[in-house]
Amino acid sequence: MEQWGPLVPAVAGVWAQAEGQLDDSVLSVLEDELVAGLRAYDDACTAAADESPAVTPETFDAVDSAARAVEAALRARPPLGSWFNREFDRLLEGQERFGPDAAPGYWTAYLRSLLVPVMYATDRVPDVSGPGTATYGSSRGELSYGRATVSVPDERPVGTAGKPRWWRLQFRPDPGRDVLLGGIEPSGLDAFADQVRAQLDTGADREALVFVHGYNVAFADAARQAAQIAYDLNFTGPVLLYSWASKGRLLDYPADGDAAHRAVPYFQEFLRTLLTRTGVREVHIVAHSMGNRLLTNGLATLDTLELPEGSGRLGHVVFAAPDVDRDVFAHLLPSVLRQARTCTLYVSNRDRALAAARKLSDFPRAGQSGTSVIVAPGLDTIDVTAVGADLLGHSYVGTHTSVLGDLHGLFRHGHTPAERYGLARTPHPDGDYWSFAPRK
């Protein structure tokens, strides 16, 4: 049976190009067909996983039939079919390895993967079901710390997490191909700080990377995202995650908004600990979507420049697709700009998740471009509309190779937008911003 491994990311790559090729009515019909086909594919893969290891022929046929229906929908609209074939083959053959710098010594080789320790802080309630086991759900708790181990494979297209069932036709997680969450080890504050310091002591730069996830994200997925982004950026310092108590369900948008607001003081305490108790020199932060509410509100009332002498400082701060009220973001922005070495805002006019959020809130979101794009002195605004992304156009910071390449130029080389590849200066009444060139 044909292996449909890169089906979903290949469809996502074609979708970005389809939006510029089809009129709205045809595009709407195609979107319905693709969503229905991918849902059927996911359901068939889930059924196969439930039957594993004795998967029935009928279930295999259901998986293959659903995948072929997705392919047929694209083939019926030339040239999307040929684009899909090229993208599918490219992803199938693609291999990315950590480099060019060597991975940190505390990243352990395992099969065809590296085991990446993700140091975390969370205000989720821990669930310890037995010795050596721990998980975190969606319930709100107090601030706690620990370390999660994530395996990131050597052979994996950049920007993908290789999640089983949905991302490829396989019925058991494979550490040689999938980004997987391994053990979770809760710890006290002192042990957390000591572990981060020990990791920093192994390198020369004493830099750390913090990832703050967005809406509808479970703890395990947040840890996977943090490790995958750090790996793809070839970041060699400690990788940290702040995970707030997202419900991890699509229909819990209002509850997630409240949870993000509640988490602000906990995030501030975590950041204060990281900057004052670990010996870090510089902390870089990437916040995605609703996670930017923690970042902007947290830094509005925590002046890291007033921390004791010898504390770490903020380096590169990245606001990726921020689901924050545009006016609120613009009001809080100066307090962040004065504390960080650089601030970068990624926006898109094709972000369907933020378009939906705007309808719910009645106000533009900071991650939208177009007439509401935010341009300010000291802020590098990057419009990614032209590069396309996933079907929602929202998760590009961790999944799109162009955006990851842009971040690599920032984090690894400190390049300004003018020095980075593929960006064009775009005039604006409030000052210039930057845009990716349209894909050809």
Side-chain angles (χ1 to χ4, degrees):
M1 183 179 68
E2 185 174 355
Q3 295 296 302
W4 292 100
L7 176 69
V8 173
V11 171
V14 172
W15 179 260
Q17 302 175 70
E19 289 183 309
Q21 291 288 322
L22 306 176
D23 61 43
D24 290 342
S25 60
V26 176
L27 191 67
S28 179
V29 172
L30 175 60
E31 180 180 17
D32 290 343
E33 292 180 11
L34 290 178
V35 170
L38 291 173
R39 184 178 292 117
Y41 174 75
D42 191 33
D43 290 344
C45 289
T46 300
D50 292 339
E51 294 175 5
S52 179
V55 182
T56 65
E58 291 78 12
T59 300
F60 275 109
D61 289 343
V63 172
D64 190 63
S65 177
R68 290 186 183 280
V70 171
E71 182 185 36
L74 295 170
R75 289 186 182 278
R77 297 168 176 89
L80 302 189
S82 59
W83 289 353
F84 172 78
N85 287 342
R86 288 198 299 268
E87 185 72 1
F88 187 95
D89 291 342
R90 183 186 70 82
L91 292 170
L92 192 64
E93 297 171 0
Q95 293 186 346
E96 296 290 337
R97 297 181 180 275
F98 191 91
D101 295 331
Y106 50 88
W107 292 26
T108 306
Y110 174 68
L111 297 179
R112 289 170 289 150
S113 302
L114 286 174
L115 299 183
V116 181
V118 176
M119 306 301 300
Y120 68 81
T122 183
D123 56 280
R124 300 174 186 259
V125 172
D127 176 19
V128 180
S129 56
T133 64
T135 58
Y136 290 91
S138 60
S139 299
R140 300 177 181 183
E142 301 300 316
L143 186 62
S144 61
Y145 298 89
R147 181 178 69 178
T149 301
V150 180
S151 66
V152 181
D154 292 333
E155 299 177 5
R156 171 190 61 90
V158 66
T160 66
K163 192 174 183 179
R165 302 187 188 182
W166 177 260
W167 290 94
R168 57 168 51 85
L169 185 60
Q170 65 180 82
F171 309 122
R172 288 196 183 96
D174 180 355
R177 294 190 294 179
D178 301 326
V179 180
L180 303 174
L181 177 64
I184 300 175
E185 305 171 54
S187 69
L189 173 60
D190 292 341
F192 170 84
D194 288 345
Q195 288 184 67
V196 174
R197 181 182 291 274
Q199 293 178 12
L200 288 164
D201 288 344
T202 66
D205 295 332
R206 304 198 71 82
E207 298 178 4
L209 174 63
V210 174
F211 176 67
V212 186
H213 64 79
Y215 145 73
N216 186 27
V217 176
F219 179 88
D221 289 333
R224 285 161 26 95
Q225 289 173 10
Q228 176 246 308
I229 290 173
Y231 184 105
D232 287 341
L233 293 181
N234 190 214
F235 190 81
T236 57
V239 183
L240 298 105
L241 164 70
Y242 188 87
S243 183
W244 49 282
S246 167
K247 291 288 187 181
R249 295 192 298 261
L250 188 63
L251 298 181
D252 284 318
Y253 182 83
D256 271 16
D258 290 341
H261 181 73
R262 173 189 179 271
V264 169
Y266 295 116
F267 175 72
Q268 291 175 319
E269 184 177 343
F270 153 71
L271 193 58
R272 186 182 295 108
T273 295
L274 179 60
L275 291 168
T276 62
R277 296 192 54 177
T278 64
V280 69
R281 181 183 63 84
E282 200 166 46
V283 172
H284 310 299
I285 305 176
V286 176
H288 179 240
S289 187
M290 196 177 282
N292 284 279
R293 300 187 190 182
L294 276 73
L295 179 58
T296 52
N297 284 283
L299 292 179
T301 53
L302 171 65
D303 189 348
T304 58
L305 299 178
E306 296 296 324
L307 294 175
E309 184 178 354
S311 298
R313 298 300 181 214
L314 296 183
H316 304 302
V317 173
V318 175
F319 310 101
D323 183 4
V324 182
D325 182 291
R326 182 200 182 280
D327 294 339
V328 171
F329 183 90
H331 177 71
L332 299 178
L333 180 61
S335 64
V336 185
L337 291 174
R338 64 182 296 271
Q339 299 181 57
R341 176 151 63 105
T342 70
C343 286
T344 303
L345 169 64
Y346 285 103
V347 298
S348 173
N349 204 30
R350 292 185 178 177
D351 191 323
R352 296 179 179 227
L354 292 187
R358 176 174 182 167
K359 290 181 180 179
L360 289 172
S361 63
D362 292 334
F363 294 99
R365 316 317 287 165
Q368 294 181 292
S369 57
T371 57
S372 64
V373 65
I374 295 176
V375 179
L379 176 69
D380 294 326
T381 299
I382 314 292
D383 189 348
V384 306
T385 299
V387 303
D390 53 74
L391 288 176
L392 287 177
H394 188 58
S395 300
Y396 50 79
V397 70
T399 61
H400 202 286
T401 54
S402 295
V403 179
L404 285 166
D406 192 61
L407 283 172
H408 187 274
L410 173 65
F411 279 81
R412 296 299 299 147
H413 305 294
H415 288 167
T416 65
E419 298 172 306
R420 303 203 296 264
Y421 175 77
L423 297 179
R425 192 182 298 271
T426 306
H428 187 273
D430 297 329
D432 295 343
Y433 66 102
W434 302 86
S435 301
F436 276 100
R439 297 177 70 178
K440 297 180 180 180

